[in-house]
Structure formats: C-alpha cells, structure tokens
C-alpha cells in the first residue's frame, strides 16, 4: 500500500476516504470515464465473446459492459480467457477496475480486476450492495477499491472491539460540542460505512474540521514562534535613500502601493522578523514596492537580497532596479569614486550629483570569476547595499556584512531549504518579503501561507493599457492563425514589438553557447523532430494544466522550429530572435537587451519571459499550444504586453476542439483580466493537492477532505479557533491528542511544510 498510495500506517488507511459512493441501483456513467486514469466502475455485463487471432493461434475475450449511458469493453488474453468467460456471463453485475484505454475508437479496460455482485459471489455482497452505499476508493492497479474497503473494514472492526483505544481526537471536546460535530470514531465509521447520505454529510463536516484545525494550529504556532525571534528593526531614515528615490519618481505611487508600503515599513520597524506575502495583479508594481522596502533597509544600515528563480529574471530585476535608481545606484565603473561610509552600502557623493546612493550588484552562477569575486567582496564588506541573484546567493561562500531583508520573487519555485539557507546568512534573522505574481484566493493564502501576513496589490498603475485576448482555433479555422501573424506584422510596422511563446525549446543538440540565435533558428528545420524537455529554468517555469483532452496530441511546438518557420514565412523581413533557458547567460542578456532597446521585432521564447520582463513597447503576444499552459501561467504571460501607452493584444493558439475542457480554460482567460478570478478557476480545475504540493516543496498534501475553495468558511473559522487556542496554550499542554495530530502532519517527510520563510 505504501509504495503506490502512500498508505504507511493504520491512520493513513483510516484517512484514505472514499472518492465517491455507488448508490443502490446506481450504475457508474460509463460515458464520463477519464482516459488514461485508473477507475472503478459498477456496471452490468451485456455480452461476452471469445475471438481468435494470428490464424487461430491466439484467443481473446471481449466483454461489453453497459449502464444505459455508455458502453465499456473489457479484454482478456492468454490462457485465462475461458476462466473469465465462465465467470463473466451476460446479465451479471459487478465492480470492474483498471486503466481506461482506447482501441478501435472504443473505451476499454485491459485485463481488469473485478468482483461480481450477485448470488454466486456471496449473499453478503448482494445484501450489502442492495441496502447500503458502496464506497469507491482512490485505487491503483496493484490495489483495488474493494481490497482497500476490506482492509478499512478490518481496522474499524478491531478498533470498535477495543473501544477505539489509541485513536487520537485532535479536536478539543468543547470545540467539537460547540460546533455540533460528530465524535471522531463515529465520523470514521460513517465516512467508510455510511447507511445514508446524511451519514456522509455529517462525517465530511467533522473530518474537514479536523484537517482545517490541525493545519491552522500548526500555522498559528509558527506565527507565534516567529514573533519571539529577535531581529534588527530597520526603520526608514528621513532624508535618506528612500526619500531621494521617491522624489525622483516620474509618477505618483498608487494608493495600493502606498498602503502596502506602510504595512511593510511598520513590519520592518519591529524587533522580530517580518514575514509578509506580497501578491498582486500582473503589472501592479510589486517590484517597485519591494525596492522601496530594500532602500528603507539600506537606510537603516542593513543589506537587502532579492532572490530570483532564473538568470533571465535576475538580470531583468538587476537592470530594472538600476534604471529605477539611476544616479542613486553605484555602478561598477564608479567603484573608485565611492568613499566608504560604513555598513549597508550607503554612499555619498555619487557622480551625477546624488547626495547618497548604494551599489546594486548581480550574482549568478554563470558569472565570470573576476566579476564574481568582486560581487562577493562587495557583499562581505558592505559596499553593496542591494544584491540581486539566483540560487548562487545561497552558496556557503556568500557572506553578507549585515543582511537585513530577504525578498523572494516567485517563491513557489524555491524549496524550503533554499530559502532558509539565504535567511541563515543574517547575523540575526532577517526580515522576509515573499512576492508572487500569481494571484492567490484568500483561503488558499490562509492555508498555504498561513504563517505570512498578506498584502495585496489589486490596482494597476496609471498609464497601463488594456489587453485584448482572443482564442485562435488553428485546427478548426487555419485562416485565423494566418490573421494572427498578420496582426503581429502590423504591430511591428507600427513601431511596436511582439512575443511568440512556445512550450518547449526544441533542437536538443543545440547548446546555444557557441551558436548565434539566427543560426539556431536556421538549424531548426533539420532538428525540429527532436523532443526536448528544455533547460532547467524553462522546466522550472513549466506549469502543467489539468490532464484531459487528447491523449494522442502531437509533441508541443518548439521555439527553434517556430522561429525558423516564421522567419521563412509569415514574418519574413522582420527581425526575429529566440530566447530560452539553454542559451548562454551572456546570449540571453544580450537578446533581452536588444529586445528592450527595440532592435528586435519579434521574440520567440519559452516561459523564461513569464515574469519580471518589462518592455513597454511590446504590444503583441502569440502563445502557441496555449492549451498546454495552466490558467495562471497564461495570465502571467499575457501580462508582458500592455505595459506602455499602446493597448496590448494576446492571442491564444490551440488545436483543441470547441467542446473540450482545454478550450473552456482558454475562453476563461480570454474572458477576464481579473487574475484572482482566474486563480479560482485554475485551482478548481487543478485540485488543491497540486497547489499545496508546490508550497510544500514536493511533500504530498495533507488535505484529503478539505477543498480550499469550497470550504472558505471552515478554514476561516478554524483559523480563528486555532489562534485563540495557541494564544491560551502555546505548548498545547492541555491538548496532548492535538499534539499527536500535529506530529503526524509534521512527520519527517513533511517537516519543511510550514517553513516557507
């Protein structure tokens, strides 16, 4: 059980709840079976026939199941054919389990497990099926639903015989009674062996509270422990760098940016570490808010580190921060002109007339040895007030003079250990600001980031233009795709630029280091058939949508292939270049520099441009194979256009048919620019486990009953109760069973679950 379903203990088995229940007389709708998934169906045998093949040398048994809504074929080969034919007689009913496949355009289960539900398989099964709800469990090939049911039944019978000895109930009795919830033994009995639908509803209510409450207690304890850690207060200094920066801004901060700034500065002024999540819409100005926090930290004598998930994003952040600071930023060539004034990187008398400034350095794994040595020296001496870097910041040899603030961009792409390794470089725990460009529904934030205070930017800065989004059904209407390329050319001829995004790099033998981007595009036709998973940062950016629709889809389109085809075809004469994670860092930076400078008309790229890339002159985006991206990722990609005064255009190209779930997702993206609404859609389609799994750095989710979108009220109420209980009893001395449940949640596999800071 443990190998295939993660069921290692009796407790795991008891909390492996049925996926659904078959009611008396109910037959599973065979017409709704998901392709390539392991399923259990309850159906009736309509027909069973033996066929020969290979000139009579081989035999196969084909059994047809029906439920009135559809038909499903079972197939058996080999010596067991006649045994199964004697068992699987027309008219008999049973449970059948296997992986759904397709043969000759018909759904089938090959060599399924089955259990018949009639007199010949035992009267107990017949009576049980006729009089009770039949639980159907999440199962696998090695372990069928009815095998799990039998194991659960054995455990329940044993516990009942011993008076449920050893079963820890995590809910305090007073809370359970106040909420009118079932005792845990009764809830487990009713979820696994219900007699009515009301039994299931009452059991689910109780078990949802268990999950929500235990998780929120863990988060409340985390919040409480963080407030006890010492940290250096980093208050902004009047007349310092922050004020100088604000004075030179060519625009006014939005009300949202000002409000969030006040929240952050209040946290920085305390003597325990800030733990704040900054989330907001695409283009809402999160980087500007983070930079103001970094400048306040430098004003107070500390250093600030911005951790980015990819080199492209780190380089872009370094470039944009340096540009925003202007004369307040100490460039490398100015090094000799900067008199030292102590730790934290504050300097006086910068060239250009600034009264004070700070050096902003970049640190990535691919930097040259000399530049790397100088950056490390600037950090340890305090010459650099701000450092922007990738995972290279986490290495042991990186030492700070006085690290006061850590800003983590796109936090879900970093593991727990990586974030902790950077925070450990402070003399005292530094303040932490986590940024995400993916809007998160309120209850997801409370569940996944419950130990962080949350700030939301939902107001776009003035000057941002609307983005029109349209779905382009390339297979159904190829002339729509032709028109899409015409629109790209029109944008370029109007003096604007465009992105073309593809799911994969292509040309797996192309290193990108010794070849120019135009050579790569030219070689693409010869190597276009090569499948490639992409470079590490492209893979890190990949976000799989829910599995559905065409299992037999062609390989995803590749950057180098598409670039070559566009250069030779619909976009001939335009300046087309490629960008992906396998290019050498210098090449990536050069391509982005030239694109930002307007020297490239069309940039064909992977998702390395998903976040942080800011080119106001880019007004068009075509996303190829858009159905292969998740909803939130499409929203982030779309946010790269419409960042200037000209309106943006985003075209979602897909081969998926109109009635497919993939097309519904794309239509949802095209229908709204509200990232929070899209995030709810994304979560509902992707399931909580996927979302929580990212936050847990790979650990499997502990939520088996709770749905974070549907159960908002439960989560909010559990958070209140958990906070109150931890305030009254921080060590949970009066609640030993709750401590036991927490130990189970925070076992060795999941020990990093809550350490998102």
């Amino acid at each position: 059980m443990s190998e295939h379903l993660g069921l290692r203990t009796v407790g795991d088995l008891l909390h492996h709840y049925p996926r659904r229940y078959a009611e008396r007389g109910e037959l599973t709708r065979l017409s709704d079976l998901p392709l390539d998934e392991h399923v259990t169906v309850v159906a009736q045998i309509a027909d069973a026939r033996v066929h020969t093949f290979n000139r009579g040398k081989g035999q196969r048994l084909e059994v047809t199941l029906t439920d009135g809504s559809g038909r499903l074929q079972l197939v058996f080969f080999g010596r067991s054919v006649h045994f199964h034919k004697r068992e699987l007689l027309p008219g008999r009913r049973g449970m059948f389990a296997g992986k759904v496949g397709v043969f000759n355009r018909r759904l089938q289960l090959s060599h399924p497990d089955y259990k018949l539900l009639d007199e010949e398989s035992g009267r107990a099964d017949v009576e049980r099926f006729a009089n009770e709800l039949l639980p159907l469990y999440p199962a696998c090939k090695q372990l069928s639903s009815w095998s799990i049911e039998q194991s659960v039944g054995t455990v329940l019978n044993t516990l009942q015989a011993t008076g449920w000895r050893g079963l820890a109930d995590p809910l305090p009795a007073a809370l359970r009674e106040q909420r009118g919830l079932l005792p845990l033994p009764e809830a487990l009995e009713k979820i696994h062996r219900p007699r009515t639908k009301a039994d299931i509803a009452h059991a689910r209510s109780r078990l949802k509270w268990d999950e929500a409450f235990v998780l929120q207690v863990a988060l409340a304890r985390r919040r409480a422990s963080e407030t006890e850690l010492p940290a250096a207060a980093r208050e902004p200094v009047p007349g310092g760098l922050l004020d100088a920066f604000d004075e030179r801004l060519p625009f006014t901060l939005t009300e949202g940016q000002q409000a969030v700034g006040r929240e952050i500065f209040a946290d920085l002024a305390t003597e325990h570490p800030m733990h704040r999540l900054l989330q907001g819409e695409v283009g809402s100005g999160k980087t500007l808010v983070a930079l103001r926090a970094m400048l306040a930290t430098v004003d107070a004598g500390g250093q600030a580190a911005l951790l980015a998930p990819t080199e492209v994003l780190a380089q872009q952040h370094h470039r944009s921060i340096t540009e925003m600071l202007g004369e307040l930023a100490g460039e490398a060539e100015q090094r000799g002109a900067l008199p030292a004034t102590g730790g934290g990187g504050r300097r006086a008398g910068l060239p250009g007339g600034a009264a004070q400034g700070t050096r902003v350095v970049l640190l990535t794994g691919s930097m040259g040895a000399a530049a790397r040595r100088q950056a490390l020296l600037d950090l340890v001496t305090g010459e650099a007030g701000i450092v922007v870097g990738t995972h290279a910041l986490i290495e042991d040899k990186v030492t700070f003079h006085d690290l006061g603030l850590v800003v983590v961009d796109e936090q879900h792409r970093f593991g727990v250990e990586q974030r902790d390794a950077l925070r450990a470089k402070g003399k005292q725990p530094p303040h932490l600001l986590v940024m995400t460009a993916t809007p998160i529904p309120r209850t997801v934030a409370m569940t996944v980031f419950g130990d962080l205070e949350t700030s939301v930017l939902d107001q776009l800065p003035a000057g941002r233009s609307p983005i029109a989004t349209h779905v382009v059904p390339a297979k159904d209407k190829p002339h729509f795709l032709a028109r899409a390329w015409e629109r790209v050319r029109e944008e370029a001829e109007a003096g604007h630029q465009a992105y073309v995004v593809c799911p994969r790099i292509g040309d797996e033998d192309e290193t990108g280091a010794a070849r120019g981007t135009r050579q790569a595009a030219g070689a693409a036709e010869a190597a276009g058939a090569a499948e490639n998973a992409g470079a590490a940062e492209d893979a890190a950016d990949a976000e799989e949508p829910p599995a559905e629709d065409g299992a037999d889809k062609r390989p995803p389109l590749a950057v180098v292939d598409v670039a070559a085809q566009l250069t030779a075809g619909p976009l001939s004469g335009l300046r087309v270049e490629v960008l992906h994670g396998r290019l050498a860092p210098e090449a990536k930076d050069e391509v982005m520099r030239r694109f930002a400078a307007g020297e490239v008309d069309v940039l064909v790229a992977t998702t390395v441009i998903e976040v942080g890339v800011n080119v106001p002159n880019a007004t068009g985006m075509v996303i190829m194979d858009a159905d292969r991206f998740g909803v939130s990722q499409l929203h982030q990609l779309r946010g790269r256009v419409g960042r200037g005064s000209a309106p943006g255009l985003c075209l979602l190209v897909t081969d998926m048919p109109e009635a497919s779930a993939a097309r519904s997702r794309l239509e949802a993206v095209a229908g709204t620019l509200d990232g929070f609404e899209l995030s709810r859609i994304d979560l509902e389609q992707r399931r909580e486990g996927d979302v929580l799994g990212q936050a847990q750095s790979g650990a499997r989710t502990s939520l088996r009953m709770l749905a974070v979108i549907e159960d908002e009220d439960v989560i909010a109420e559990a958070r209140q109760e958990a906070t109150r209980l931890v305030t009254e009893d921080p060590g949970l001395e009066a609640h030993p069973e709750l401590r036991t449940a927490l130990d189970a949640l925070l076992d060795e596999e999941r020990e990093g679950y809550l350490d998102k800071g």
Side-chain angles (χ1 to χ4, degrees), residues 256-531:
Q257 288 172 327
Q258 295 179 47
V260 170
R262 288 191 292 270
E263 292 174 348
I264 292 173
F265 295 150
D267 286 353
L268 290 175
T270 62
E271 294 185 349
H272 59 80
M274 170 177 73
H275 277 70
R276 185 165 288 277
L277 171 69
L278 173 59
Q279 61 164 317
E281 277 291 5
V282 177
S284 59
K286 293 179 294 297
T287 304
L288 176 60
V289 170
L291 175 56
R292 296 183 73 239
M294 290 190 278
L295 293 176
T297 302
V298 174
D299 272 343
Q303 293 169 289
L306 172 57
L307 183 61
T310 68
E311 288 201 351
V312 167
L313 186 52
Q315 290 162 348
Q316 178 71 21
H317 274 315
H318 180 257
R319 186 184 300 110
S320 62
I321 286 174
T322 303
E323 290 173 353
M324 281 193 283
L325 287 175
E327 61 191 25
L328 298 177
E331 299 295 340
E333 60 267 25
Q334 299 168 338
R335 185 170 288 113
L338 301 178
T341 60
R346 284 197 60 189
R347 299 292 176 265
L350 282 181
Q356 62 276 313
T358 191
R359 182 166 301 136
V360 183
V361 301
L362 177 68
L363 185 63
T364 65
S366 62
M367 289 175 63
R372 185 178 180 81
R373 277 197 302 272
Q374 186 60 59
L376 292 173
L377 181 62
D378 287 346
L379 291 180
V380 73
T381 61
E383 290 286 313
I386 297 174
V387 58
V388 181
T390 57
H391 303 75
L393 283 174
I394 300 168
E395 296 176 2
D396 291 341
K397 64 182 69 173
V398 179
T399 304
F400 289 84
H401 178 79
D402 182 13
L403 180 60
L405 171 66
V406 173
V407 180
V408 180
D409 193 15
E410 291 306 298
Q411 65 79 33
H412 63 272
R413 298 180 192 172
F414 291 98
V416 171
E417 297 81 6
Q418 294 167 320
R419 295 191 293 272
D420 277 351
L422 180 55
R423 292 180 63 208
K425 293 181 180 296
K427 296 175 182 177
Q428 288 183 309
H431 299 281
L432 175 72
L433 181 64
V434 170
M435 295 198 300
T436 177
T438 303
I440 303 168
R442 180 178 66 94
T443 47
V444 182
M446 282 198 304
T447 305
V448 184
F449 305 103
D451 58 330
L452 279 73
E453 298 300 324
T454 302
S455 294
V456 177
L457 284 173
D458 53 8
Q459 183 182 7
L460 294 182
R464 287 297 167 93
S465 300
I467 305 170
T469 308
H470 303 284
V471 178
V472 179
K475 194 169 185 179
D476 299 343
K477 300 177 180 178
H479 60 286
F480 276 32
L481 181 58
R483 176 59 184 146
W485 300 129
E486 289 176 6
R487 286 291 291 112
V488 171
R489 181 176 288 278
E490 289 167 5
E491 291 297 312
E493 290 174 348
H496 299 301
Q497 297 160 275
Y499 302 95
V500 177
V501 181
C502 302
R504 105 185 142 91
I505 300 173
D507 191 7
E508 62 185 356
D509 297 323
E510 180 68 64
T511 65
R515 303 169 177 85
T517 54
R518 293 191 181 278
Q519 282 181 294
E525 288 187 6
E531 182 91 16

Side-chain angles (χ1 to χ4, degrees), residues 32-62:
D32 296 335
L33 290 179
L35 198 61
D36 282 336
E37 287 193 19
H38 195 91
V39 301
T40 301
V41 300
V42 181
Q44 191 166 28
I45 300 168
D47 186 53
R49 297 183 182 183
V50 175
H51 301 272
T52 60
F53 60 93
N54 195 18
R55 296 182 180 179
K57 296 180 181 178
Q59 291 185 319
R60 72 175 182 275
L61 171 64
E62 293 182 358

Side-chain angles (χ1 to χ4, degrees), residues 196-216:
T196 66
K197 288 185 177 181
D199 284 352
I200 299 171
H202 292 148
R204 288 176 62 86
S205 295
R206 162 61 208 253
L207 297 171
K208 284 182 178 184
W209 255 94
D210 279 11
E211 291 182 354
F213 184 70
V214 173
L215 180 57
Q216 291 300 334

